[in-house]
């Protein structure tokens, strides 16, 4: 496994789309982002940092 | 040789350009939102 070429980022970032197909995974990525944003807001409000 | 995702290099690069643009817009909007919160109600 160690002879696999190491990516140089960010110039090789685009190659992720050679592995995951955005037609399949773009919406799941967006939903994961939405879940994360809701979770962060939930925590911020639960520790009392929301608008009073 | 077909890629794992089925996209060609050209398609992957083309999609990545749009992905970077949209992500930059998202981060800019989030940064603006954070500045507004800091202005209204700093959390420190």
């Amino acid at each position: 496994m160690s002879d696999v070429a190491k990516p140089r980022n960010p110039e090789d970032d685009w190659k992720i789309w050679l592995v995951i197909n955005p037609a399949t995974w773009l919406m799941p990525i967006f939903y994961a982002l939405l879940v994360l944003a809701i979770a962060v807001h939930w925590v911020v409000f639960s520790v009392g940092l929301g608008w009073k | 040789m077909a890629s794992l995702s089925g996209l060609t290099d050209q398609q992957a690069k083309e999609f990545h350009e749009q992905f970077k643009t949209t992500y930059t817009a998202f981060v800019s909007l989030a940064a603006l939102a954070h500045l507004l919160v800091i202005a209204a109600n700093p959390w420190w």
Side-chain angles (χ1 to χ4, degrees):
Chain A
M1 188 58 192
S2 62
D3 55 356
V4 175
K6 295 238 175 327
R8 289 166 46 81
N9 300 108
E11 54 266 28
D12 285 343
D13 284 358
W14 62 273
K15 293 180 180 177
I16 184 67
W17 310 115
L18 298 177
V19 177
I20 58 173
N21 188 328
T24 307
W25 293 101
L26 187 60
M27 284 314 288
I29 290 169
F30 282 167
Y31 278 116
L33 196 59
L34 177 64
V35 166
L36 177 62
I38 290 172
V40 168
H41 283 82
W42 188 294
V43 168
V44 167
F45 274 83
S46 62
V47 299
L49 284 173
W51 52 72
K52 311 253 182 322
Chain B
M1 177 216 158
S3 68
L4 287 171
S5 67
L7 269 68
T8 63
D9 284 13
Q10 170 58 29
Q11 288 170 323
K13 283 176 180 169
E14 196 175 313
F15 177 78
H16 194 55
E17 285 309 312
Q18 179 60 60
F19 188 87
K20 286 190 294 187
T21 303
T22 306
Y23 184 70
T24 303
F26 173 78
V27 170
S28 310
L29 203 59
L32 176 64
H34 283 79
L35 289 177
L36 293 176
V37 169
I38 288 172
N41 183 13
W43 54 86
W44 58 84

